[in-house]
Amino acid sequence: MERLQGIAVSPGIAIGEALVLDNEGFRIPRRFLPRDAVEEELERLNLAFDAAVAEVEHNRQQVAEQLGDDYAAIFSAHLQMLRDPRLHEEIEEMIRTRHYSPEYAVSRALRRYAKVFQSLEGQYMAERANDIFDIEKRILRNLLGRSREELAQVLSPVLVLAHNLTPSETANLNPQFALGMVTEIGGPGSHTAIVAEGLGIPAVVGVGPFLTDVSGGDTVIIDGDQGQIVLHPDEETLARYRHEVEEQRHLAVKLGTLRELPAETKDGQSIQLLANIEFPYEVKQCKERGADGIGLYRTEFLYLGRDDDPSEETHFESYSSVVQAMKDMPVVMRTLDLGADKMRSLPNPEDERNPFLGLRSIRLALRNRDLFRIQLRAILRASALGEIRIMFPLISTIMELRQARMVLADAMEDLEEAGVPFDRDLKVGMMVEVPSAVMMMDRFVEEVDFFSIGTNDLIQYCLAVDRSNKDVANLYTAADPAVIRMIDMAIKAANKANVPISMCGQMCGDPMYTMLLLGLGLRSLSVTPAAVPEIKRVCRSVTIEKCEQVAARVRTLESARDIKTYLREKLSKVFPEFPM
Ligand code: PEP
Ligand code: MG
């Protein structure tokens, strides 16, 4: 049994069979062969080896011609290994006697070799292990073809273990079959993590290299509460986790009874409890969980996972379906927030060096006005069908906000002229997710109808910590006193000017922070749909006076660790069943 620590990003426990995707996305199945298929599969294996040899030979010749024999020697070593009779024998033996699929046998054999090199000291040996992974991939590519696309077609329950998943790949997982997710890289605020939480599946990211220790079909446990995974669990561990799954199920049933009740504190303060979505289909879950509306619709997900730009009609279809399904409840449509980790494809080395500080979000929209206008027209048209509000992301200067509002005013004028109906009194708001916006709140209050605090970005910009980098994940926390001061400042400024303010960052979906946020003066929260019942449960168990005491105490603390310890203790008093 092996227990590994990563970063907890989506709560819950999942127990099941592994589906392993290495960093090229190959899925390696542990398929057992029927006896009469063995010869045919051996033939397939030989063809894959021959193709791999031909590829390497071709590369070797090209490099020899252009750079000389010394450089080509790298490939000679690969060829030697591909032709090694002992390796062939070992793999064939697994196929003949254990009836493993060729993919599984190749992967088992080569990963065992690689592990030997990895266990030896020194950079040189580690690079030899990489050579072996290279060979493994080359053979697998010839056996399997590219298979990342298969992810959406998984039709039996699995836990997805991958080197990395993009936010749109994660969004394509079907939670009916993908019961949990683990990645080797990725940080706590990455959109991959956020989407996994949106799907409501337990997820752990940033575990570090572990895929060589696990094969497709192995039993794995994902503990999304503690951020741990267990490979090859023993019976006792399995039994303990199964018991925990049962307890969590009971808690979910209990919380389900709150669905029709309002999120109201014990002293009668009503709290608006909204939900965050990325796709129209999530509306169903928002309603099932008893959300009061949509506080953040991440519309940019419409652009991800497709090669072309969505047309105005495509935008309109999505938006109108959400608004109509929500009936008279509010829907806050955030305009496109593309860039940084929300890209259509994986970045290439020529891309921006600091994409989170680069041309992302509203900056990208203002540089691509045609694209922006198409989206704004679709949002405006949908506003005739329900209670839509529009929100601009990543506003960092007053001028940027004014420019965005001008593009919106133009779009309104066009629709007006064409006689297309839309809501002329549509409320316009902005996200507060850059420290400069917090510092300028007293000016922004004059320019917008509402605010929403985006802690996912505010944390990274306040603390200079990349939200998707596992190596600095220990610094990325909403409990940092500097972050809490920023939130405090933003809420005070908005409340003083009587401009509504909400929060839609992941922070407010964590029950640990609910008392603090109410105590700081928030009366509206927008959380991941799965978190609605828990947050409602906390709201209904506290008084505003008590929350204000909690906030006052937190203001005096100096470290994230002390703040977390204090908030956990307070939460355990009002919500003892919550797993911590
Ligand atoms: C945020 O930054 O807190 C936010 C809600 O937006 P996103 O996570 O999409 O950047
Ligand atoms: Mg953001």
Side-chain angles (χ1 to χ4, degrees), residues 434-452:
V434 184
S436 62
V438 177
M439 302 314 288
M440 296 297 286
M441 279 295 282
D442 61 329
R443 299 300 164 91
F444 279 118
V445 294
E446 311 282 335
E447 313 252 343
V448 291
D449 300 313
F450 68 94
F451 296 100
S452 185

Side-chain angles (χ1 to χ4, degrees), residues 191 298 334 337 342 360 393-394 431 433 454 456-458 467:
H191 283 93
R298 288 186 167 95
R334 181 175 70 181
D337 186 22
K342 280 179 285 197
R360 69 170 283 215
L394 207 82
M431 295 206 49
E433 50 183 348
N456 306 338
D457 277 311
L458 189 60
R467 60 193 271 187

Side-chain angles (χ1 to χ4, degrees), residues 465-486:
V465 183
D466 182 342
R467 60 193 271 187
S468 39
N469 183 341
K470 77 177 174 58
D471 297 324
V472 285
N474 60 325
L475 295 170
Y476 182 91
T477 171
D480 191 284
V483 174
I484 292 170
R485 277 194 196 184
M486 287 238 160

Side-chain angles (χ1 to χ4, degrees), residues 367-387:
R367 285 279 185 93
N368 295 278
R369 300 234 171 158
D370 289 343
L371 198 80
F372 194 25
R373 227 172 266 127
I374 287 173
Q375 177 179 41
L376 292 175
R377 283 174 60 92
I379 297 177
L380 286 170
R381 283 171 57 200
S383 74
L385 308 172
E387 170 73 53

Side-chain angles (χ1 to χ4, degrees), residues 550-567:
V550 169
R553 173 81 181 119
V554 168
R555 285 192 188 100
T556 68
L557 299 174
E558 288 175 352
S559 75
R561 203 184 56 182
D562 289 351
I563 292 175
K564 277 189 196 164
T565 309
Y566 173 71
L567 290 177

